[in-house]
Amino acid sequence: MSNPITIYTDGSSRGNPGPGGYGAILMSGNHYKELSAGYRRTTNNRMELMGVIAALEALKKPGQHITIYSDSQYIVKAIQQGWLNKWMATNFAGGKKNKDLWVRFYNLAKGHHIKFVWVKGHADNMYNNKCDQLATTAADGRNLQVDEGFEMDPNHLTL
């Protein structure tokens, strides 16, 4: 059996919506990897989700035992309280937001054994603080990517 994987994630948005970014740290045994990216127009919740998705997409093997630490109540509660399963079962009826990212996460997650743990943001957890720094630096960067799921959604189009 391979080492368990610990992941810390955070998302940031300068305005909501506005420029945003995510940060993620993956650790297993003596392996350590940081990930981040910035987007020109998005929301904080989307960036929180993108941090988790990017971390899971970086994994090379299925069936991993993973603990994900996030300061996002939105993500942690969606998993721990079964909201995501209800959203999936009803095809996100009632206009639940971020369907594209939740479906992407769901498909990635089902291949692993994942436990979510909520951590207080901007507190004394050095990995959460580092993820925050990665996310905000990415949001403030140049050559920001397009969050197509947000920008192409007719509910978010502006003239």
Side-chain angles (χ1 to χ4, degrees):
M1 183 170 132
S2 59
N3 287 328
I5 298 170
T6 300
I7 297 173
Y8 282 84
T9 67
D10 199 14
S12 175
S13 181
R14 304 299 201 183
N16 206 16
Y22 69 80
I25 296 172
L26 295 82
M27 298 176 284
S28 181
N30 56 1
H31 298 282
Y32 178 94
K33 184 173 190 168
E34 294 178 357
L35 304 170
S36 65
Y39 294 82
R40 68 182 190 186
R41 185 166 166 76
T42 190
T43 67
N44 187 67
N45 282 343
R46 289 184 66 80
M47 291 298 95
E48 295 281 1
L49 264 167
M50 276 303 303
V52 173
I53 289 167
L56 293 176
E57 287 178 343
L59 300 178
K60 295 180 170 81
K61 297 179 192 170
Q64 299 295 315
H65 291 268
I66 304 165
T67 302
I68 299 176
Y69 294 86
S70 172
D71 63 9
S72 170
Q73 294 273 358
Y74 172 64
I75 293 175
V76 175
K77 286 184 176 182
I79 305 304
Q80 290 180 344
Q81 296 185 13
W83 302 347
L84 178 57
N85 289 333
K86 291 176 189 166
W87 297 339
M88 294 295 292
T90 62
N91 195 26
F92 292 77
K96 299 293 180 233
K97 294 182 179 180
N98 306 316
K99 176 182 176 181
D100 61 321
L101 295 182
W102 280 117
V103 169
R104 193 166 155 192
F105 163 78
Y106 183 84
N107 289 326
L108 288 164
K110 66 184 176 183
H112 298 288
H113 310 279
I114 300 175
K115 173 184 165 190
F116 275 85
V117 177
W118 180 79
V119 295
K120 182 176 171 71
H122 311 287
D124 59 356
N125 185 298
M126 66 182 246
Y127 296 114
N128 179 258
N129 289 337
K130 178 63 176 176
C131 285
D132 179 65
Q133 179 187 16
L134 290 167
T136 56
T137 299
D140 293 339
R142 298 174 187 251
N143 302 318
L144 299 176
Q145 299 178 49
V146 175
D147 179 353
E148 291 184 15
F150 181 80
E151 290 196 33
M152 302 308 170
D153 183 334
N155 296 318
H156 299 124
L157 293 178
T158 57
L159 301 175

